[in-house]
Amino acid sequence: MTSSHSTSSLLTLYDLHSHTTASDGALTPTELVDRAIAMGVNVLAITDHDTVAGVAEAQAAAQGSSLAVICGTEISTHWENHEIHIVGLNITADHPAIEALLAAQREKRLVRARTIAERLAHAGIPDAWAGANRYAQDQLVTRGHFARYLVSLGLASDMAGIFKKYLSRGKTGYVPPQWCTIEEAIDAIHLAGGQAVVAHPGRYQLSAKWLKRLLSHFAESGGDAMEVAQCQQSPQERTTLAGYARDYQLLASQGSDFHQPCAWIELGRKLWLPGGVEPVWRDWPDPRASEQGYKSEG
Ligand code: AMP
Ligand code: MN
Ligand code: MN
Ligand code: MN
């Protein structure tokens, strides 16, 4: 370490939302860990959709490095006709409660994926089941994999275009999901020793009134935290979300939701919390404490 390192090297950089090839991420757990280290991240949560399958490989890859890997998952839930994503952080991967809930979610994904493929077939788009699974490489199938297959057919130039035309609510390939409830997700996360976090609250296209209703319901159901900081958000949104975290007495989290290398989202980028909120990691051991010669406060 040279003394030219800026003060930022003294701060622990947390990125608590990311995906690997275990769900719809493009990088293997090992590749994701290598990239996080290169980006200066110190604590990375792997939060694949409805699975923890990528965590063990990531933790092995991070052994002896400057990076600690947190075992997480991102659970799709159903609330008031909206799909709300709940991140679980620091869960015990093999706890029966979380294992059972995630297994049920994956079964629902399978059923939904077959129905999506049937609907697309009716619309004249062949082989979507096989096509999506080629992209999923025998791991869990998401709409993201269908989107990649449809892009490969030239049906739109990018995934966003595919979602807009085929996969979002009301479109040919949209199948209303049967996900678990927010309460079920929180309970399983807690039984597995973890903290429950509302993922990307700014991305549900909820009015302020409905977003507050969601956060209020989440907090009343025992939820712990909400994501406040992401790299692709306006300063205004970050400030607003920090205010909600205070209002509903939720801890604050931050994460890139990294899926693949691209120009606008990067691991660890622009992740910091506004003042006045309590970080979700406030009671976690700082993985750099011994390295820096700090003593934990107990
Ligand atoms: P699923 O959980 O199977 O419903 O798939 C949802 C995933 O699709 C999200 O986690 C995103 O990774 C991806 N996704 C959703 N909407 C879009 C979009 N407009 N453009 C690109 N990817 C999207
Ligand atoms: Mn995704
Ligand atoms: Mn999500
Ligand atoms: Mn995500």
Side-chain angles (χ1 to χ4, degrees):
M1 288 284 141
T2 66
S3 57
S4 66
H5 270 250
S6 69
T7 50
S8 69
S9 69
L10 296 173
L11 297 173
T12 301
L13 178 53
Y14 292 80
D15 188 334
L16 302 178
H17 189 149
S18 69
H19 296 271
T20 76
T21 45
S23 67
D24 57 354
L27 303 186
T28 65
T30 301
E31 289 166 343
L32 187 77
V33 161
D34 289 347
R35 192 176 183 97
I37 292 169
M39 295 301 159
V41 175
N42 303 110
V43 181
L44 175 72
I46 309 263
T47 57
D48 278 305
H49 299 286
D50 299 315
T51 183
V52 290
V55 174
E57 181 190 317
Q59 286 178 332
Q63 276 289 328
S65 78
S66 54
L67 182 77
V69 171
I70 300 290
C71 178
T73 188
E74 181 174 16
I75 302 173
S76 296
T77 74
H78 196 78
W79 174 78
E80 298 276 1
N81 214 23
H82 294 282
E83 259 183 86
I84 306 298
H85 289 180
I86 305 296
V87 161
L89 295 176
N90 270 316
I91 51 178
T92 301
D94 59 1
H95 189 284
I98 198 81
E99 271 194 338
L101 181 120
L102 296 182
Q105 292 277 110
R106 290 195 296 269
E107 182 59 32
K108 288 168 184 172
R109 280 188 174 277
L110 224 47
V111 172
R112 183 190 63 155
R114 287 207 178 271
T115 313
I116 290 175
E118 281 167 20
R119 292 205 186 177
L120 291 172
H122 275 294
I125 302 166
D127 304 325
W129 171 254
N133 275 285
R134 259 201 312 284
Y135 284 95
Q137 294 182 6
D138 295 327
Q139 308 261 10
L140 153 155
V141 186
T142 69
R143 278 185 295 166
H145 298 109
F146 279 97
R148 279 184 221 164
Y149 173 63
L150 298 193
V151 168
S152 80
L153 295 182
L155 293 169
S157 59
D158 59 13
M159 290 185 36
I162 293 291
F163 269 87
K164 219 168 160 179
K165 272 163 84 174
Y166 299 100
L167 297 176
S168 51
R169 186 186 295 232
K171 300 297 155 65
T172 322
Y174 182 78
V175 179
Q178 309 288 321
W179 308 131
C180 67
T181 64
I182 287 177
E183 296 93 315
E184 286 168 333
I186 293 173
D187 288 348
I189 289 166
H190 283 171
L191 286 167
Q195 288 161 288
V197 186
V198 177
H200 43 68
R203 251 195 271 151
Y204 301 117
Q205 293 169 317
L206 297 174
S207 65
K209 179 179 143 193
W210 274 95
L211 184 50
K212 290 182 192 175
R213 199 172 276 181
L214 166 64
L215 296 173
S216 164
H217 171 72
F218 178 77
E220 277 171 18
S221 305
D224 304 283
M226 59 181 276
E227 289 181 354
V228 165
Q230 298 173 264
C231 60
Q232 258 201 319
Q233 77 190 148
S234 67
Q236 177 58 48
E237 179 181 294
R238 193 173 300 207
T239 305
T240 303
L241 293 178
Y244 291 161
R246 286 193 296 272
D247 292 347
Y248 296 99
Q249 296 183 317
L250 291 167
L251 300 174
S253 187
Q254 60 185 35
S256 60
D257 201 5
F258 182 90
H259 281 73
Q260 67 241 324
C262 69
W264 46 91
I265 294 175
E266 187 51 84
L267 290 162
R269 184 187 286 171
K270 292 194 205 160
L271 295 180
W272 50 269
L273 295 175
V277 297
E278 291 282 344
V280 67
W281 59 84
R282 68 174 179 185
D283 296 326
W284 302 2
D286 186 333
R288 305 213 307 161
S290 50
E291 182 192 321
Q292 299 289 338
Y294 300 153
K295 280 277 172 290
S296 115
E297 307 266 323

